[in-house]
Amino acid sequence: MELPILFSSIPNLLSFFIFFFVIYIIAYFLIFPSWKPNLRPEASSCIISFFHGTPAVVFAITSLLSDPHRNFHSPNTHFQNMVLDYSIAYFLMDLAHYLVFYPSDVLFIGHHVATLFVFVTCRYVVYHGAYAILVLLILAEVTSFVQNTWTLANARKGDVEFAAKVYAVLSPPFYGFYSLVRGIAGPYFVYRMLSYYVSGAADSVIPRWVWISWVFVVVTAITVSIMWVSNLWVQLYRDMKRKFDKKVSFFSPSGSMKLG
């Protein structure tokens, strides 16, 4: 790690972290003051995710399109490094959120630590490979806007009718979109990434231990994501079946007799 590069990046990291911290505080104390105490931290986390996810996708796409020499081992451009700093600051802020409010949530804490490891090694250790990492960032965050909306609706569906309607309408398309990205697009890109690195084409600038750790983290994250959305599909099927069974029971002769 080159100290001049690290020190020159500290202002960006600090500014971005303060940005997300201020948004979190505003969300917690001004946007969600009437929410139940157990829901306010999660809702505030969703708000800073709104300010990270979609902007990060736009920034990442723009930074990649502006680099005509992009490939799996190309040197990071200044713009790409800025996007990495932006995401590092967000994950540091969200990690702090979990450590304060959900210290026993080992899965999410581990996810954030592993993600930070990938970003930090790309940004401050090897200075190459931002193309691969930012494409993965795009795939991870392209669903974030819908996911955060779904999460907020899920949190209040039990006591707010509008939230329940949003949750019901949003769930099937969100699950489908998420499944396509995490179940098809993600694994396909990881396959291309792994094939390239295994060939040894990047060994001169990205040590094997680095790209192997990247692939391990990403494959683990994709696997957990697929398991998560699979459980949601199962729950959706059960809920729809239960509603269908109730309607059938209601209109059946025996159901009519009970109503009478």
Side-chain angles (χ1 to χ4, degrees):
M1 184 181 296
E2 297 180 14
L3 290 179
I5 294 178
L6 174 61
F7 291 145
S8 65
S9 182
I10 287 177
N12 280 342
L13 272 176
L14 185 59
S15 298
F16 291 147
F17 183 84
I18 292 173
F19 170 71
F20 288 116
F21 177 77
V22 170
I23 291 174
Y24 188 95
I25 294 300
I26 291 173
Y28 191 89
F29 289 103
L30 299 181
I31 300 178
F32 304 113
S34 62
W35 284 39
K36 296 178 181 178
N38 62 313
L39 296 178
R40 289 171 70 188
E42 181 182 12
S44 301
S45 176
C46 285
I47 296 301
I48 63 170
S49 184
F50 275 124
F51 280 87
H52 169 256
T54 302
V57 170
V58 174
F59 295 155
I61 291 175
T62 305
S63 73
L64 293 176
L65 292 178
S66 64
D67 179 15
H69 306 294
R70 62 186 181 275
N71 59 49
F72 285 102
H73 76 287
S74 56
N76 304 348
T77 66
H78 178 73
F79 194 177
Q80 291 165 359
N81 282 335
M82 187 202 73
V83 180
L84 290 171
D85 284 338
Y86 187 74
S87 291
I88 290 171
Y90 161 74
F91 278 102
L92 284 173
M93 179 61 229
D94 209 44
L95 176 60
H97 150 79
Y98 276 99
L99 291 174
V100 171
F101 292 103
Y102 309 105
S104 61
D105 195 337
V106 179
L107 182 62
F108 268 95
I109 291 174
H111 167 269
H112 281 28
V113 171
T115 302
L116 283 167
F117 169 83
V118 172
F119 287 147
V120 169
T121 51
C122 177
R123 173 68 176 91
Y124 296 107
V125 177
V126 297
Y127 317 112
H128 291 72
Y131 165 72
I133 304 308
L134 291 182
V135 170
L136 291 170
L137 175 66
I138 292 167
L139 293 173
E141 298 296 343
V142 71
T143 59
S144 68
F145 183 88
V146 181
Q147 183 172 350
N148 285 315
T149 304
W150 174 87
T151 301
L152 290 172
N154 184 36
R156 297 302 304 271
K157 71 179 188 292
D159 58 334
V160 178
E161 183 179 355
F162 178 72
K165 291 180 179 179
V166 171
Y167 178 82
V169 171
L170 204 56
S171 290
F174 165 54
Y175 299 169
F177 184 31
Y178 192 94
S179 298
L180 288 174
V181 173
R182 301 298 178 98
I184 298 177
Y188 170 71
F189 184 78
V190 173
Y191 167 76
R192 288 186 54 202
M193 176 181 169
L194 180 60
S195 299
Y196 187 89
Y197 288 143
V198 167
S199 71
D203 285 355
S204 61
V205 291
I206 303 178
R208 285 187 171 251
W209 71 268
V210 172
W211 66 256
I212 289 174
S213 63
W214 289 355
V215 171
F216 175 79
V217 168
V218 174
V219 169
T220 301
I222 289 176
T223 302
V224 173
S225 296
I226 292 174
M227 292 172 60
W228 179 73
V229 77
S230 297
N231 288 332
L232 291 177
W233 278 117
V234 170
Q235 185 60 48
L236 179 64
Y237 169 77
R238 289 174 178 170
D239 290 342
M240 293 179 67
K241 186 176 184 301
R242 184 166 54 250
K243 291 179 181 179
F244 178 78
D245 290 343
K246 285 184 178 180
K247 288 183 179 180
V248 171
S249 176
F250 180 82
F251 288 107
S252 66
S254 60
S256 299
M257 290 177 62
K258 289 180 181 178
L259 289 174

